[in-house]
Amino acid sequence: MSIKFKTTTLAIAVSMALGTVSSYAAENNAQVEEVERIAVVGSRGAPRSVNDSPVPIDLIGAEELERGGNTNMLELLKGTVPSFNVHENPISDAASLVKPANLRGLSSDSTLILVNGKRRHRASVIALLGGGINDGAQGPDISVIPSSALKQVEVLRDGAAAQYGSDAIAGVLNFVLKDDDDGGSLTVRHGEYYEGDGTTTELSGNVGMPLTKDGFANVSFQYKTADATSRSVQRPDAAAFIAAGVPDVGDPAQIWGSPEIEDDLTIFANLGLDLGNDSEAYMFGNFSERNVRGGFYYRNPHTRGGVYSNDGGETLLIADIAEAEGAERTCQPVAITSDNVLTQVDYINNVANNDNCFSFNEMLPGGFTPNFGGNIVDTSLTVGTRGQIDDTLSYDISGSVGRNESSYVIYDTLNASLGPDTPRDFNPGKHIQLEKFFNVDLVKDIDIDAFDSPLIIAGGYEWHQETFEVVAGDIASFTAGPYTDQGFGIGSNGFPGFKPASAGEFSRQNYAFYVDVEAQFTEQFLMGFAVRYEDYSTFGDTTNYKLTAQYRVTDDFSVRGSLGTGFRAPTVGQANYSNVQTSLDGGQLVDSALLPATNPIAMQLGSTELTPEESNSFAFGAVWEIAGVFFTLDYYNIEVTDRVSQSTKYTLTEDDKNALKEAGVPNVDSIQQVSFFTNDFDTTTEGIDFVANYSTSLFDGETSLSLAYNWNETTVDDYSEVTGDFKVSRLENDLPNHRGTFTLSQTWDQVSLFTRVNYYGEYQGVHVDYDATVNEGSAAITVDAEVSYFVNDDITLSIGAQNLLDQEAERINFTEQGAADCGGCVNNQWGGKYYETSPFGFNGGFYYVKATYNF
């Protein structure tokens, strides 16, 4: 049910929200166009235009999504919304399967995701190695939403928990699906990085069909494959092994790059049917599946604990086969005295030529590098009906279910405790996130003589059930084999499987009531007030409010502001998940157990039961138009207390290990550290968003110009040793404080040009999540461009590039082998070329060709 009106000024305003470059002629005699009021987010009442909204809203249209040079939704949004950031996370456990993103410098689960105005379920992946800001975050998987399915994206850059509930602290993203009942498109896109890797092939399409004479069925799909990339140099330890003649050492031994993606298929469907009497039924949903495989850390054949040595490379870890069967030990120790232990006489005599004694140097003499990956399946379905009860009362009733399943796989590793009988590939288990929703929304218009327009009262009820399930892995991935007591590590090295004792379903229910009132007191003055009460079956209830206002000073200038509270409930996964992960501490690989906050050991170290994050925010800004140029300027301030994140890692004592065993924690003997989720720190995030847009006719064509700038700064106000100084540094400094984009779109009869210049300010460069690798990354500029040729009305050919000039990410300033201290250099133990926190990625330039057929 669309509400339409006529105004040229509004057409320009709506089309030129942040980054949107749809062309409108700015001539005085331009025809008045009929434009839908399509901004749904920001108000529970009637949709509003950009310049009529008391809160900042960006509209990114389908045309720009198609010309953004990327079909990955995360990258599209990063290039369009300056306050939206995404990191590559090259070696990061499950965070490489579902990349977390940040709006306004807050964690990925602080932004609420909607599809067609309905809450989207979160992913099953918890980003245990989330690059500081996203450590432990569990947000929705935005990457499954293909650009071919979208009519537009609405970005509400304002806290909205009082209207939409948990997670809307930073803002709201609403993905609006196409609803055409005829026509369609088919697009083929192929490209690769300038380095010659990361080759990507994509096939996408959309088709609109009538659903009887009174409805529509719009279906979109995307299929993609992408090769892995490598921005690596050889590790010095691996190079030394090669020089010493050790066989089977990879070159490079460890890969830093983007993972391989295979068979990435997603299908979205959006259906609507007019039921008559001012009512309609609707249904939309998706099926998505992909396989991802990426690199892990190299296991040194002299020093890797629990596999090759347990004393840092002083002596070899040797399995006595007879001892494992109950006999006395006869294997003699072997000291590691050279770069190639295989050539040492004592190794040859005591291990290589001794059938009773076994070392993994026999099976894997050059060490090994596990590969971590998984199969991600995402499905959702929403069914509902909406309409008018009378001229002043409308309703929307819907039910939704969403499910995300991550089946993990780790390749080319081993369960050391199984000795020579270990398999090399494992299935460590699954995570499944299942969410169900039921919503009733009502909107009532009340005529009040004193008001310029009807008072709008919206109210509603929401019920939500969230279940996080852990499925045990195959036995070999977690079992303690016969060589456990001899010091060999338990479980698939790098990512041990989930034991049956850790498996199970963990659920929570919550319900909410909300009221949202908007009053247009005069033609110039609008106010809104929202309040929401929400009750959770776990930690209790919470009430939040929001107050908004806009005052139109002149026809071309208005001021606006908002004030409110918000919250983010800890996820069921964060409250109940436990596992063992491999990470770096002080430059050494260690196995670290993540425990629930209620685990006795975690509580002994300072944890308490998780509670919601709470926020207080305010914003004020202005909207104005001068000589056809449309401007918005907004300041925001967001205080978040009791933020949920993963704690620092605590080194375990023997007493701690004994207590862990009694508590049933798996693989205790190989665990060196413990962490947990906690409400430990408070932050204040403030910033400024500035947008300027202008459309005109230049060079015998239609021209659109857009300038967007964001300043964002986060300060950690309060924290303890549970969070630690390095985590604080990452929260405050990893993201650039300054981001900007300048976009030019030029269209002629048969050719169009799209160019975007991206500015990234200074940031903190971090390598391998280790504080000794911190450096300052320089500011940089990248350029994206696409040129399209319209062969005819149906066929368009395009060529383009992201990072056209191949701007290189900040290189790690390596210390050469044997060199004196170079002051600020990083010893290259891990094989990466670039700091992984680069805000524009580390892969360099990417070029592509594209062909589109419209029908």
Side-chain angles (χ1 to χ4, degrees):
M1 199 174 305
S2 298
I3 302 173
K4 301 186 178 183
F5 60 98
K6 297 180 179 181
T7 168
T8 304
T9 302
L10 182 58
I12 297 174
V14 171
S15 71
M16 296 191 303
L18 176 60
T20 303
V21 292
S22 301
S23 299
Y24 286 87
E27 302 170 3
N28 292 331
N29 62 348
Q31 290 185 344
V32 175
E33 299 195 24
E34 191 172 42
V35 181
E36 291 189 36
R37 301 177 71 179
I38 50 179
V40 176
V41 294
S43 169
R44 284 289 197 171
R48 291 193 174 275
S49 66
V50 172
N51 62 344
D52 280 340
S53 173
V55 290
I57 300 173
D58 307 325
L59 304 183
I60 308 169
E63 181 181 356
E64 184 180 3
L65 292 173
E66 294 169 359
R67 304 170 72 183
N70 203 315
T71 57
N72 184 300
M73 189 53 58
L74 291 171
E75 296 300 321
L76 281 171
L77 292 173
K78 184 176 77 172
T80 306
V81 182
S83 59
F84 191 86
N85 289 274
V86 182
H87 283 156
E88 289 293 335
N89 299 322
I91 297 180
S92 52
D93 279 358
S96 61
L97 308 183
V98 177
K99 289 195 297 185
N102 312 99
L103 183 65
R104 289 183 161 179
L106 297 175
S107 62
S108 64
D109 46 14
S110 294
T111 300
L112 176 63
I113 306 301
L114 306 175
V115 175
N116 280 355
K118 305 297 180 180
R119 179 182 281 265
R120 179 80 177 170
H121 62 279
R122 66 182 75 253
S124 55
V125 166
I126 299 176
L128 301 181
L129 299 177
I133 295 170
N134 291 303
D135 285 344
Q138 188 186 0
D141 185 1
I142 301 175
S143 66
V144 304
I145 304 175
S147 58
S148 61
L150 295 177
K151 181 178 181 179
Q152 69 178 28
V153 181
E154 302 171 358
V155 184
L156 169 61
R157 292 180 281 109
D158 197 59
Q163 296 163 302
Y164 299 102
S166 177
D167 304 351
I169 289 177
V172 180
L173 298 178
N174 182 32
F175 295 89
V176 183
L177 302 176
K178 290 179 179 177
D179 55 7
D180 302 305
D181 62 2
D182 64 355
S185 65
L186 185 66
T187 299
V188 179
R189 180 178 180 268
H190 181 80
E192 67 178 23
Y193 288 98
Y194 292 6
E195 293 283 342
D197 58 9
T199 302
T200 302
T201 302
E202 301 166 2
L203 177 64
S204 62
N206 169 265
V207 59
M209 300 168 288
L211 184 63
T212 75
K213 63 182 181 62
D214 297 317
F216 70 90
N218 194 280
V219 180
S220 305
F221 79 94
Q222 178 179 283
Y223 178 81
K224 177 171 68 174
T225 62
D227 293 342
T229 67
S230 174
R231 302 296 176 265
S232 313
V233 295
Q234 181 62 291
R235 290 172 49 129
D237 55 354
F241 290 135
I242 293 174
V246 177
D248 303 329
V249 181
D251 189 11
Q254 180 174 305
I255 302 295
W256 288 93
S258 300
E260 177 187 28
I261 300 174
E262 291 185 339
D263 299 326
D264 186 352
L265 172 66
T266 186
I267 300 171
F268 265 79
N270 187 27
L271 294 82
L273 181 64
D274 189 341
L275 301 177
N277 298 319
D278 293 323
S279 65
E280 63 176 318
Y282 59 86
M283 181 172 68
F284 58 88
N286 78 286
F287 171 83
S288 304
E289 182 176 11
R290 68 181 181 274
N291 295 296
V292 183
R293 179 169 176 170
F296 249 24
Y297 294 107
Y298 170 64
R299 271 58 174 168
N300 184 300
H302 285 184
T303 62
R304 176 56 174 138
V307 181
Y308 291 103
S309 174
N310 273 344
D311 54 14
E314 295 292 327
T315 60
L316 209 59
L317 183 58
I318 301 173
D320 190 305
I321 297 173
E323 182 185 11
E325 297 173 351
E328 292 293 324
R329 184 177 182 88
T330 60
C331 295
Q332 299 299 313
V334 173
I336 301 174
T337 58
S338 67
D339 285 339
N340 188 351
V341 71
L342 305 179
T343 62
Q344 296 179 196
V345 174
D346 53 352
Y347 170 83
I348 295 172
N349 292 334
N350 295 328
V351 179
N353 294 331
N354 188 335
D355 293 338
N356 183 55
C357 302
F358 170 79
S359 165
F360 278 102
N361 300 77
E362 297 179 87
M363 178 186 292
L364 300 167
F368 62 99
T369 306
N371 271 209
F372 182 76
N375 173 262
I376 311 295
V377 178
D378 186 280
T379 56
S380 69
L381 179 67
T382 296
V383 179
T385 181
R386 58 184 167 230
Q388 293 287 136
I389 296 176
D390 56 37
D391 291 341
T392 64
L393 180 62
S394 62
Y395 68 91
D396 187 337
I397 302 173
S398 66
S400 302
V401 60
R403 186 178 188 272
N404 185 277
E405 176 181 306
S406 304
S407 302
Y408 304 117
V409 184
I410 188 164
Y411 307 92
D412 301 330
T413 187
L414 47 82
N415 181 342
S417 69
L418 294 175
D421 297 324
T422 179
R424 296 300 312 282
D425 300 334
F426 302 85
N427 295 297
K430 301 179 182 179
H431 283 152
I432 301 172
Q433 178 78 12
L434 176 65
E435 298 186 50
K436 301 173 183 177
F437 307 90
F438 175 72
N439 291 84
V440 178
D441 301 302
L442 301 171
V443 180
K444 175 71 173 178
D445 294 353
I446 301 176
D447 287 323
I448 298 178
D449 293 339
F451 291 176
D452 187 70
S453 61
L455 177 71
I456 300 175
I457 302 178
Y461 167 80
E462 179 176 274
W463 174 87
H464 177 209
Q465 182 183 68
E466 178 181 355
T467 301
F468 182 77
E469 182 179 359
V470 179
V471 179
D474 58 47
I475 294 176
S477 71
F478 61 78
T479 192
Y483 300 94
T484 300
D485 293 339
Q486 297 183 32
F488 286 88
I490 304 168
S492 44
N493 191 276
F495 197 93
F498 310 133
K499 295 185 70 173
S502 301
E505 293 185 3
F506 310 94
S507 295
R508 177 180 70 197
Q509 295 183 7
N510 60 284
Y511 66 88
F513 295 95
Y514 80 88
V515 176
D516 193 339
V517 180
E518 288 191 357
Q520 190 80 47
F521 290 102
T522 68
E523 185 178 353
Q524 290 79 30
F525 185 48
L526 166 72
M527 282 195 69
F529 178 76
V531 62
R532 185 183 184 98
Y533 170 81
E534 196 137 3
D535 187 273
Y536 286 79
S537 61
T538 49
F539 55 78
D541 58 5
T542 179
T543 301
N544 293 273
Y545 75 89
K546 183 174 182 179
L547 181 67
T548 60
Q550 183 182 45
Y551 183 75
R552 187 172 295 279
V553 181
T554 68
D555 289 343
D556 300 324
F557 178 75
S558 63
V559 293
R560 62 189 180 187
S562 66
L563 175 69
T565 63
F567 75 104
R568 189 189 74 78
T571 72
V572 177
Q574 290 172 333
N576 295 281
Y577 178 55
S578 64
N579 190 32
V580 177
Q581 64 190 93
T582 298
S583 58
L584 278 161
D585 180 70
Q588 300 298 319
L589 285 180
V590 296
D591 292 328
S592 173
L594 174 68
L595 302 177
T598 54
N599 181 279
I601 298 302
M603 297 182 73
Q604 177 181 318
L605 296 171
S607 77
T608 58
E609 186 172 357
L610 295 179
T611 60
E613 300 176 355
E614 297 183 349
S615 69
N616 289 278
S617 64
F618 68 89
F620 58 85
V623 180
W624 71 102
E625 185 178 357
I626 304 173
V629 183
F630 180 72
F631 299 89
T632 65
L633 178 66
D634 294 278
Y635 168 83
Y636 56 89
N637 186 291
I638 309 168
E639 293 183 0
V640 187
T641 57
D642 298 328
R643 284 185 61 172
V644 176
S645 184
Q646 192 175 357
S647 73
T648 190
K649 295 178 175 62
Y650 292 89
T651 300
L652 289 178
T653 65
E654 286 303 315
D655 289 341
D656 290 332
K657 288 188 176 183
N658 291 333
L660 281 170
K661 291 178 182 179
E662 293 178 4
V665 177
N667 311 327
V668 172
D669 289 320
S670 64
I671 297 171
Q672 296 155 285
Q673 296 181 331
V674 160
S675 64
F676 47 85
F677 286 107
T678 178
N679 300 91
D680 185 63
F681 61 96
D682 306 334
T683 61
T684 297
T685 298
E686 60 177 336
I688 292 174
D689 284 317
F690 172 74
V691 179
N693 292 280
Y694 179 64
S695 291
T696 187
S697 296
L698 293 175
F699 312 112
D700 296 324
E702 295 181 347
T703 306
S704 292
L705 305 172
S706 176
L707 175 66
Y709 164 77
N710 171 256
W711 166 71
N712 189 89
E713 186 171 293
T714 293
T715 303
V716 178
D717 303 315
D718 184 52
Y719 69 100
S720 75
E721 64 178 12
V722 173
T723 297
D725 293 339
F726 178 51
K727 178 69 169 288
V728 169
S729 178
R730 301 211 65 177
L731 290 164
E732 294 183 339
N733 303 311
D734 272 13
L735 298 178
N737 294 136
H738 302 277
R739 279 281 318 275
T741 63
F742 174 75
T743 304
L744 165 66
S745 176
Q746 182 72 34
T747 303
W748 294 277
D749 289 340
Q750 285 194 287
V751 178
S752 71
L753 171 67
F754 177 88
T755 304
R756 176 182 289 126
V757 179
N758 308 283
Y759 172 78
Y760 302 88
E762 294 179 350
Y763 63 96
Q764 178 172 268
V766 178
H767 186 43
V768 300
D769 198 17
Y770 171 40
D771 56 0
T773 68
V774 169
N775 205 343
E776 184 174 286
S778 303
I781 292 175
T782 66
V783 178
D784 306 325
E786 179 178 291
V787 178
S788 297
Y789 174 69
F790 309 119
V791 178
N792 51 42
D793 290 342
D794 301 326
I795 299 175
T796 303
L797 303 178
S798 305
I799 184 170
Q802 301 158 5
N803 194 357
L804 176 67
L805 304 180
D806 198 21
Q807 170 64 51
E808 188 177 70
E810 190 76 12
R811 277 186 173 267
I812 301 168
N813 191 11
F814 290 130
T815 301
E816 296 181 4
Q817 286 289 102
D821 180 28
C822 64
C825 292
V826 176
N827 192 328
N828 177 21
Q829 300 178 46
W830 306 284
K833 285 184 180 180
Y834 308 107
Y835 289 104
E836 62 215 62
T837 49
S838 169
F840 54 90
F842 49 74
N843 283 315
F846 180 90
Y847 67 90
Y848 61 91
V849 293
K850 182 173 67 175
T852 300
Y853 171 64
N854 295 296
F855 54 90

